[in-house]
Amino acid sequence: MLSMLILIAILLGNIIRGHEEKDIFYYVWIVWLVLCSAIFVITVYRTYVKKPSVMEMHQDGIVINGTEINAEAVACLLINDNKKRVIGIKPKGRAIVPLKLCFTFEEEQVEGIRQLETWARERQVKVSKGYFMRWM
């Protein structure tokens, strides 16, 4: 987020300095500033304002924030092993995990991941650990 703020400041500086000559680059800078600002606002909202996801495991599937995914529709469970582990549920036929199917455990993360892996093993759902891409 800090790098995005720096980029926005640089773009704003370019727009302010170039306001006298309104060529094509002036308008390109404005469009780029609006795009970067929108991405920054969305990132801040999702990081600090949005409520955490609620996940429940059932016999038939997993429910995340009211969206139920059957075990047969799950291609694999992906676990990103960074500082804060992010779990993603990749549906069959999708190349990228939708953001609404990504979550983290707030408490007892190790136990939650263990239960999720057990659930996946019982239903023959592949579990993969490592980096995965998420769609905004």
Side-chain angles (χ1 to χ4, degrees):
M1 283 194 262
L2 181 63
S3 61
M4 191 61 104
L5 274 177
I6 292 170
L7 178 63
I8 290 170
I10 291 170
L11 289 171
L12 193 57
N14 284 339
I15 291 170
I16 291 171
R17 279 186 297 163
H19 75 285
E20 294 157 356
E21 48 188 73
K22 303 215 188 235
D23 57 353
I24 188 73
F25 291 112
Y26 176 78
Y27 296 106
V28 169
W29 289 121
I30 290 176
V31 170
W32 192 241
L33 176 69
V34 169
L35 180 69
C36 290
S37 298
I39 291 171
F40 179 75
V41 168
I42 290 169
T43 303
V44 168
Y45 172 76
R46 287 185 176 167
T47 304
Y48 297 110
V49 178
K50 189 177 173 190
K51 292 186 219 175
S53 300
V54 177
M55 190 268 301
E56 299 173 15
M57 291 182 282
H58 296 292
Q59 281 297 108
D60 299 336
I62 296 176
V63 178
I64 298 178
N65 286 338
T67 304
E68 184 172 355
I69 301 133
N70 291 330
E72 295 85 28
V74 176
C76 64
L77 292 175
L78 302 162
I79 301 171
N80 190 349
D81 280 331
N82 284 339
K83 293 177 185 176
K84 188 175 184 183
R85 288 186 176 162
V86 178
I87 294 100
I89 300 172
K90 183 176 170 187
K92 288 183 179 174
R94 302 289 291 272
I96 299 174
V97 178
L99 192 61
K100 68 180 181 178
L101 298 180
C102 294
F103 60 93
T104 60
F105 290 108
E106 286 186 0
E107 300 171 3
E108 300 178 16
Q109 185 159 353
V110 175
E111 181 60 31
I113 290 175
R114 190 176 307 125
Q115 289 176 1
L116 192 61
E117 287 175 337
T118 303
W119 178 89
R121 198 175 330 106
E122 290 172 356
R123 286 150 187 83
Q124 289 83 32
V125 174
K126 180 183 168 189
V127 177
S128 178
K129 294 187 179 186
Y131 176 78
F132 63 90
M133 291 190 60
R134 298 170 282 212
W135 186 253
M136 289 182 76

